[in-house]
Amino acid sequence: MENNTAPKPHYFYAVGLSYKKADAVIRGSFSLDAKAKTRVLEQAQSEGIESLIVTSTCNRTEIYGFAEHPFQLIKLICENSNGTVEAFQQVGFVYKNQEAVNHMFRVGTGLDSQILGDFEIISQIKTSFNESKSFGLINTFLDRLINAVLQASKRIKTDTEISSGATSVSFASVQYIIKNVENIGNKNILLFGTGKIGRNTCENLVKHTKNEHITLINRTKDKAEKLAGKLNLIVKDYSELHLELQKADVVVVATGAQNPTIDKAILNLKKPMLILDLSIPKNVHENVQDLEGVTLIHMDHLSQMTDETLEKRKSHIPAAEAIIEDIKEEFLTWTKARKFAPTIHALKEKLNSIKEGELNFQRKKISNFDEEQAELISNRIIQKITNHFANHLKDDNTMVDESIEWIEKIFQIETVAK
């Protein structure tokens, strides 16, 4: 009778959705804030998932991890966000094993970013890695893979010009403002939200517009004051938002609220206004466009802008891909060796066991048996045999799983972990 209690194999998956197929509204419904990411990790632990990391940014929500079936990971996203399985089936992706590895390299090195060369994602991957590690959810494979991706990202940033010039949505938003608002240096600019994107946008505004009329508002005032002190800007209380909106010519919204915080009801305008919503989920209601003179721009629009800087970066893609292939090859060599190492170790033990049995037999049979010489010769033969098997398993043309199964069957050996 067959033993059906053997553990089912786990595969490495990348599951999620990104700007490529999901617009800002859908990405917003699947976004995971800090508390939701913690809930995902706690749920993963309770459901026996061995290893995973969770990333959720303005451009993507993804899980990289081990599971019997990808739905185990998709479920974690859907149950901890406002997204549904039905919506995921329309816009989501599932990559398995090598494809999942390839995807992580492209995401982590900025090649899959909404704006080519935007390296902000790598710091988010680092943070996600550390969060998962604190929950004991990083195994040897994922640890090695993330370190390889970090290495590739660093080399691409150092050795290529794919990130030449300023990058990211933050920079694109400032470029848009400069190109579309006349006399920007004398306009009133309101920045609502001083998280990472808000801070970067603010720094770019100060640097590129020379504007001294920038006002900051944040729900947590001390965060805004910290940034304002560094850049010599004005800070207002969150309670004064509706008053400051009336004064502003340009409004940049980069908050982490789950629902819109600005709509046409709080805008009482007598002049044109440009609003840039850099938030996911969207934090500016579409109905502001009902008001005459209001222009609403979302980050998805900004990412479609092409300029000389972005075009120039495209020419460096081949160099970046060559670096990825180089580091990925090292990683794949390690994974292959790690896969068959237990088999080679067990084979060596089996051959040593055969050797000991044969030497014992010869000791009894031969009166002047040269034990030292026999030991030396047999050890060399065992080493040569195991080297032949190891080289076979290292070969790119070898079907490793089948070969391991064949070796274990022929030599009647078992390994603890495959």
Side-chain angles (χ1 to χ4, degrees), residues 287-301:
N287 67 15
V288 299
Q289 295 177 102
D290 297 343
L291 299 171
E292 190 179 345
V294 172
T295 303
L296 174 61
I297 299 295
H298 196 265
M299 64 165 62
D300 282 1
H301 176 82

Side-chain angles (χ1 to χ4, degrees), residues 26-172:
I26 302 234
R27 296 202 306 278
S29 67
F30 282 95
S31 69
L32 301 165
D33 60 16
K35 287 179 181 175
K37 283 201 274 187
T38 300
R39 288 198 304 271
V40 168
L41 297 176
E42 288 169 346
Q43 189 176 333
Q45 266 188 332
S46 68
E47 293 180 4
I49 288 172
E50 173 196 354
S51 183
L52 86 170
I53 70 162
V54 190
T55 61
S56 189
T57 73
C58 54
N59 294 329
R60 63 184 74 248
T61 294
E62 299 181 348
I63 289 182
Y64 299 89
F66 285 84
E68 291 175 26
H69 191 278
F71 183 71
Q72 292 169 278
L73 305 179
I74 295 166
K75 185 167 74 85
L76 290 175
I77 295 175
C78 296
E79 290 182 358
N80 292 285
S81 70
N82 293 320
T84 64
V85 174
E86 292 74 24
F88 186 93
Q89 286 172 331
Q90 295 295 317
V91 298
F93 61 76
V94 173
Y95 297 121
K96 182 178 177 181
N97 293 340
Q98 189 53 50
E99 281 189 346
V101 169
N102 294 345
H103 180 67
M104 185 186 260
F105 268 100
R106 291 190 72 82
V107 169
T109 55
L111 293 190
D112 201 66
S113 294
Q114 195 167 19
I115 293 180
L116 178 65
D118 182 350
F119 278 90
E120 287 185 11
I121 184 67
I122 197 65
S123 64
Q124 286 152 341
I125 288 175
K126 265 191 203 174
T127 302
S128 300
F129 170 74
N130 289 329
E131 286 168 352
S132 289
K133 205 167 187 178
S134 70
F135 278 81
L137 288 168
I138 296 291
N139 64 8
T140 309
F141 177 93
L142 200 50
D143 187 14
R144 185 90 176 208
L145 174 58
I146 289 169
N147 277 295
V149 171
L150 291 172
Q151 186 188 349
S153 175
K154 190 175 180 181
R155 266 187 59 189
I156 288 170
K157 206 168 185 180
T158 306
D159 298 353
T160 78
E161 292 181 40
I162 204 162
S163 60
S164 59
T167 60
S168 80
V169 168
S170 311
F171 178 67

